[in-house]
Amino acid sequence: MNENIHTLKSVYNISFFFIPTGIDFKIKTVELQGKKIKLQIWDTAGQERFHTITTSYYRGAMGIMLVYDISNAKSFENISKWLRNIDEHANEDVERMLLGNKCDMEDKRVVPKAKGEQIAREHGIRFFETSAKANINIETAFLTLAEDILRKTPVKEPNSDNVDIGTVGGVTGWKSKCCS
């Protein structure tokens, strides 16, 4: 790991929220706008049994990803509930993103892409279809959310070459290797 990351002067907490799989934590370092960005990613799970824990992660989140499985209608139906939870518990200016995962499994699709696009449009959030297994749009989704957060986050020290983006969150059905 780059030693400069441990001595960052500008610290931003960006939370990426992932639903469900259990609680998992990953760190990924990316470069954006010439700065090293340390993403702290919390997979807090979307199952009802984790509801209390999940809502506590919303408070400091700067970004939240909601992920449903395109082959599971129930996971898509839960998105509206999770969006309401975000409205109730997260900061007002939190960046949100909707991801339809497992897009590599077109033959098992039960949630049309248009439905994901519609709910994202209704809530004014970005939408991507992804596949953690086939590595489709995974990096694009994370980088896009990080860029959106950076764009509206005031820079505390303009000369700092590194930014620490803490990530808290939950994404549906993502495997641990998606963040390494």
Side-chain angles (χ1 to χ4, degrees), residues 5-19:
I5 293 172
H6 295 291
T7 60
L8 299 177
K9 294 178 182 171
S10 299
V11 177
Y12 301 97
N13 288 319
I14 295 182
S15 302
F16 293 101
F17 177 75
F18 302 97
I19 306 173

Side-chain angles (χ1 to χ4, degrees), residues 16 18 24-26 28 39-43 142 167 179:
F16 293 101
F18 302 97
D24 196 10
F25 174 78
K26 296 286 180 193
K28 180 172 178 71
L39 304 174
Q40 296 175 10
I41 304 161
W42 293 85
D43 180 342
F142 276 95
T167 309
C179 306

Side-chain angles (χ1 to χ4, degrees), residues 67-167:
V67 183
Y68 66 91
D69 176 346
I70 70 159
S71 66
N72 181 327
K74 181 74 172 156
S75 71
F76 181 75
E77 292 163 11
N78 286 333
I79 293 298
S80 292
K81 176 186 75 167
W82 289 107
L83 284 165
R84 282 191 304 275
N85 279 322
I86 291 167
D87 288 343
E88 290 174 22
H89 300 285
N91 293 335
E92 186 176 298
D93 62 344
V94 68
E95 283 292 325
R96 300 167 297 158
M97 178 179 283
L98 179 63
L99 303 176
N101 197 31
K102 299 187 181 179
C103 69
D104 60 308
M105 299 174 56
E106 191 61 40
D107 58 324
K108 295 190 178 4
R109 178 187 290 274
V110 296
V111 180
K113 183 176 183 180
K115 279 193 163 194
E117 291 170 333
Q118 178 185 354
I119 198 166
R121 197 171 33 256
E122 288 170 2
H123 290 272
I125 61 178
R126 290 190 188 264
F127 172 77
F128 290 98
E129 282 202 338
T130 61
S131 169
K133 182 178 180 181
N135 196 22
I136 298 169
N137 281 337
I138 299 298
E139 188 163 343
T140 300
F142 276 95
L143 291 177
T144 300
L145 187 56
E147 287 170 350
D148 289 347
I149 293 165
L150 280 179
R151 197 174 357 271
K152 69 180 198 181
T153 304
V155 177
K156 294 178 184 175
E157 299 209 15
N159 295 328
S160 175
D161 291 334
N162 299 302
V163 179
D164 184 7
I165 297 178
T167 309

